[in-house]
């Protein structure tokens, strides 16, 4: 009887194996190794530049983090549980974090980082940490003495850039607020306050123009398009084409060139995105990294819009405050070696990430107290909640900046009905590029809240 059961099970297993082999061949399914090979062939065929080896970059990150520290933060970094497809831990005498270029098969090494034992409390030597600890002992009216603070006012201003970006709000009477002007006014007033308290400051822009020197109307978009094409290689449309059973490589290449997604990537309609969200943001990153700040504040204002009236006033009375720190990488955002490098850098440096969270919590708490704004509790886009008002999100500025305390602020909803008309008031004035611009007491209160949030962060720094 037992022998018959065993024979029956063996027979069923054989039938199942034959079925799997037949189905695999029938469906044209390919292995992860084959997917990666085809993906690289596609990128090479379309002249996408090869990426730089990341290993040398991680020399200063060797032996600064434990497996426990890394895994404890994955909930905030790995939005779609993609980590295991590109990374693995090696145990034994040398504990390693290994990053791979090929999703799933993990045969082509990208970089590796040596880890420390969980009982070891060694931290990376962050220069900002020493200066922040020292600032705790500054005189009362010079609390920021010895610190470097970078300010990045989001977007640009003026009619041309407002219309191109859509970052403005207008009511039915023609009254208009430009986010690029408001954020610049906040940054300039913050600079005044920070300098009074002894800080050395840097602002990425002091007018309403882009930070980049690249000309908007005639810059060559092909380089940006090729990079974007690489960044799209984990998206569904790209993977579906690779997995299709084409007769030869040329049929595969033609399938790409005729696909609407490919055509859009290389089309003129992408000029705005490549300029605003790539060229200009990279220029801001370079300028801030060169300044090497101890704290960076990225200043934005939020909106709640409708498809019918995207730049109009929202009458739902929605108005909250929040801040982003690095994290929230989605499943499509591991496509390039640079993506995985930035993921690893910020995941390894727990000091900078924890400090960014603390800084953000301090600032949004002051915005909450002084302006009466609720702390955002729902997730915004591809983000992960950390605490009320603070979320992890993979924004270009956050991932490209060198690790240090950084807060990406969405101060308030400036298309909220009450907020809009409060911000329209001409209570005070300031000079920008020799011209007089008015701003409201409400905006001045935003400035004071951010300033007090920074002071709270330093006072409680550990």
């Amino acid at each position: 009887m037992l022998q018959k059961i065993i024979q029956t099970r063996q027979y069923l297993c054989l039938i199942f194996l034959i079925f799997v082999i037949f189905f695999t061949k029938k469906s044209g399914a390919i292995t992860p190794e084959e997917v990666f090979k085809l993906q690289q062939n596609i990128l090479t065929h379309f002249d996408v530049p090869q990426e730089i080896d990341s290993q040398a970059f991680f020399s200063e990150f060797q032996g600064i983090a434990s497996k426990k520290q890394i895994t404890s933060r994955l909930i905030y970094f790995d939005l779609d549980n993609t980590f295991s497809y590109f990374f693995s831990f090696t145990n034994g005498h040398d504990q390693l974090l290994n990053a791979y270029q090929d999703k799933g098969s993990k045969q082509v090494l990208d970089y590796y980082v040596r880890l420390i034992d969980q009982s070891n409390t060694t931290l990376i030597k962050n220069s900002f940490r020493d200066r922040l600890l020292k600032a705790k002992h500054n005189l009362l009216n010079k609390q920021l003495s010895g610190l470097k603070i970078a300010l990045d006012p989001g977007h640009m201003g003026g009619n041309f850039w407002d219309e191109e970006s859509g970052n403005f709000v207008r009511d039915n009477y023609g009254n208009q607020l430009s986010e690029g002007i408001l954020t610049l006014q906040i940054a300039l007033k913050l600079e005044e306050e920070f300098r009074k308290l002894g800080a050395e400051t840097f602002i990425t822009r002091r007018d309403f123009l882009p930070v980049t020197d690249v000309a908007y109307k005639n810059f060559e978009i092909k380089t940006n398009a090729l990079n974007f094409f690489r960044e799209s290689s984990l998206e569904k449309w790209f993977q579906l084409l690779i997995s299709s059973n084409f007769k030869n490589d040329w049929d595969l290449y033609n399938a790409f060139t005729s696909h609407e997604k490919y055509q859009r990537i290389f089309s003129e309609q992408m000029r705005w995105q490549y300029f605003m969200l790539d060229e200009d943001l990279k220029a801001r990153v370079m300028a801030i990294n060169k300044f090497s700040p101890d704290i960076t504040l990225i200043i934005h204002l939020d909106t709640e819009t409708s498809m019918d009236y995207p730049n109009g006033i929202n009458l739902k009375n929605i108005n909250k405050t929040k801040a982003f720190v690095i994290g929230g990488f989605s499943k499509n955002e591991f496509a390039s070696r640079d993506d995985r490098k930035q993921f690893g850098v910020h995941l390894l440096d727990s000091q900078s990430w924890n400090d960014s969270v603390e800084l953000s919590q301090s600032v949004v708490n002051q915005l909450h107290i002084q302006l009466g704004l609720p702390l955002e509790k729902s997730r915004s886009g591809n983000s992960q909640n950390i605490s009320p008002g603070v979320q992890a999100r993979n924004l270009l500025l956050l991932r490209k900046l060198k690790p240090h305390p950084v807060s990406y602020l969405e101060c308030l909803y400036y298309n909220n009905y009450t907020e809009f008309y409060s911000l329209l008031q001409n209570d005070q004035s300031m000079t920008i590029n020799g011209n007089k611009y008015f701003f409201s007491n409400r905006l001045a209160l935003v400035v004071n809240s951010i300033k007090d949030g920074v002071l709270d962060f330093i006072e409680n720094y550990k």
Side-chain angles (χ1 to χ4, degrees):
M1 182 66 178
L2 179 61
Q3 188 175 2
K4 285 186 176 181
I5 293 174
I6 293 173
Q7 288 176 343
T8 301
R9 287 182 176 176
Q10 289 175 338
Y11 175 76
L12 290 174
C13 288
L14 181 61
I15 294 296
F16 177 74
L17 181 61
I18 293 171
F19 173 79
V20 169
I21 293 172
F22 175 79
F23 180 78
T24 301
K25 289 182 178 179
K26 184 88 173 175
S27 63
I30 58 178
T31 66
E33 292 91 337
E34 292 171 322
V35 168
F36 178 70
K37 184 178 179 181
L38 281 170
Q39 183 175 302
Q40 297 308 302
N41 287 344
I42 289 294
L43 296 178
T44 300
H45 174 77
F46 288 106
D47 296 323
V48 178
Q50 289 192 349
E51 294 189 275
I52 299 172
D53 191 333
S54 305
Q55 188 60 58
F57 184 86
F58 283 90
S59 59
E60 65 176 300
F61 293 89
Q62 301 294 328
I64 68 163
S66 69
K67 180 179 177 180
K68 183 178 181 180
Q69 288 174 319
I70 291 171
T71 54
S72 67
R73 285 199 304 282
L74 279 178
I75 187 175
Y76 305 117
F77 275 77
D78 186 17
L79 195 64
D80 298 321
N81 298 316
T82 312
F83 179 83
S84 62
Y85 290 96
F86 285 103
F87 295 84
S88 69
F89 293 103
T90 301
N91 297 318
H93 179 70
D94 287 326
Q95 291 187 336
L96 301 175
L97 171 65
N98 298 306
Y100 299 91
Q101 298 180 48
D102 50 329
K103 180 182 178 181
S105 51
K106 294 189 287 190
Q107 298 297 312
V108 184
L109 188 67
D110 196 345
Y111 61 85
Y112 68 88
V113 180
R114 181 172 51 83
L115 304 178
I116 57 176
D117 185 78
Q118 293 182 9
S119 62
N120 193 327
T121 57
T122 302
L123 295 171
I124 189 172
K125 293 181 179 179
N126 290 307
S127 57
F128 68 80
R129 177 169 169 76
D130 293 333
R131 290 192 288 270
L132 286 169
L133 286 170
K134 187 177 180 180
K136 288 172 60 103
H137 306 289
N138 285 339
L139 297 175
L140 186 60
N141 61 342
K142 291 293 180 182
Q143 293 103 313
L144 303 181
S145 180
L147 296 179
K148 300 171 70 176
I149 301 178
L151 299 164
D152 178 51
H155 307 295
M156 292 77 92
N159 291 334
F160 175 79
W161 295 112
D162 283 349
E163 293 296 334
E164 287 293 311
S165 66
N167 296 117
F168 67 92
V169 177
R170 183 185 296 140
D171 69 4
N172 293 329
Y173 306 101
N175 296 308
Q176 181 168 317
L177 290 174
S178 163
E179 184 178 356
I181 293 177
L182 293 173
T183 57
L184 179 59
Q185 289 178 315
I186 292 171
L188 291 172
K189 295 303 292 183
L190 275 173
E191 180 180 55
E192 286 182 21
E193 298 297 322
F194 289 156
R195 284 184 172 179
K196 288 177 185 176
L197 295 169
E200 180 184 353
T201 61
F202 171 76
I203 300 182
T204 53
R205 65 178 177 89
R206 294 182 174 276
D207 51 32
F208 306 135
L209 299 175
V211 176
T212 181
D213 292 329
V214 174
Y216 174 65
K217 291 187 176 180
N218 56 12
F219 84 97
E220 174 57 58
I221 69 170
K222 184 178 180 180
T223 299
N224 303 77
L226 289 171
N227 289 332
F228 194 87
F229 183 55
R230 178 196 286 116
E231 296 288 343
S232 304
S233 61
L234 291 181
E235 291 185 4
K236 187 175 181 180
W237 71 272
F238 196 111
Q239 292 293 309
L240 281 175
L241 286 180
I242 286 179
S243 301
S244 300
N245 192 18
F246 289 99
K247 293 181 180 179
N248 54 60
D249 288 346
W250 287 108
D251 286 346
L252 176 59
Y253 300 151
N254 290 333
F256 268 92
T257 54
S258 60
H259 198 282
E260 61 177 354
K261 293 279 189 179
Y262 177 91
Q263 293 176 356
R264 187 174 191 278
I265 288 172
F266 290 88
S267 70
E268 177 63 25
Q269 64 181 306
M270 292 293 285
R271 178 175 297 275
W272 177 88
Q273 181 169 333
Y274 294 149
F275 185 84
M276 301 282 193
L277 304 181
D278 193 18
E279 291 291 345
D280 193 59
L281 292 185
K282 286 178 181 177
R284 294 171 192 244
V285 167
M286 289 181 62
I288 293 171
N289 282 340
K290 184 178 180 180
F291 179 62
S292 190
D294 303 305
I295 291 173
T296 293
L297 299 171
I298 302 164
I299 303 164
H300 284 259
L301 303 174
D302 215 341
T303 58
E304 178 72 22
T305 60
S306 65
M307 295 293 291
D308 296 332
Y309 198 19
N311 299 104
I313 295 174
N314 186 284
L315 303 178
K316 295 180 180 179
N317 204 33
I318 296 173
N319 197 13
K320 301 175 183 178
T321 186
K322 62 177 173 282
F324 297 112
V325 300
I326 186 59
F329 285 70
S330 66
K331 62 183 178 181
N332 296 329
E333 295 177 332
F334 292 83
S336 69
R337 302 190 75 174
D338 189 61
D339 289 336
R340 297 186 293 273
K341 179 182 79 172
Q342 300 302 337
F343 177 87
V345 164
H346 293 287
L347 185 64
L348 287 162
D349 193 346
S350 59
Q351 183 70 52
S352 298
W353 190 80
N354 289 334
D355 287 351
S356 295
V357 172
E358 293 288 339
L359 170 64
S360 298
Q361 288 172 334
S362 294
V363 174
V364 296
N365 187 54
Q366 284 297 325
L367 287 165
H368 165 64
I369 293 171
Q370 296 190 36
L371 280 81
L373 298 170
L375 298 173
E376 180 67 73
K377 294 182 181 179
S378 59
R379 290 169 54 179
S380 305
N382 290 333
S383 65
Q384 182 64 273
N385 285 330
I386 300 172
S387 63
V390 181
Q391 302 176 15
R393 190 172 182 181
N394 184 23
L395 299 167
L396 186 144
L397 275 176
L398 292 175
R399 71 174 177 267
K400 294 281 188 179
L401 288 175
K402 294 177 182 177
H404 67 284
V406 181
S407 183
Y408 189 114
L409 297 167
E410 294 281 3
C411 301
L412 49 78
Y413 282 76
Y414 76 114
N415 75 333
N416 169 275
Y417 182 90
T418 303
E419 207 70 81
F420 178 83
Y421 289 106
S422 294
L423 292 169
L424 269 179
Q425 302 305 306
N426 296 332
D427 301 310
Q428 303 181 45
S429 65
M430 64 190 308
T431 300
I432 302 175
N433 272 358
N435 296 314
K436 186 176 182 180
Y437 287 86
F438 290 99
F439 64 96
S440 68
N441 289 335
R442 184 69 172 173
L443 198 75
L445 194 55
V446 172
V447 172
N448 193 69
S449 301
I450 298 173
K451 179 200 72 174
D452 287 349
V454 170
L455 293 177
D456 286 349
F457 167 68
I458 293 168
E459 182 181 348
N460 297 298
Y461 192 72
K462 298 177 182 178

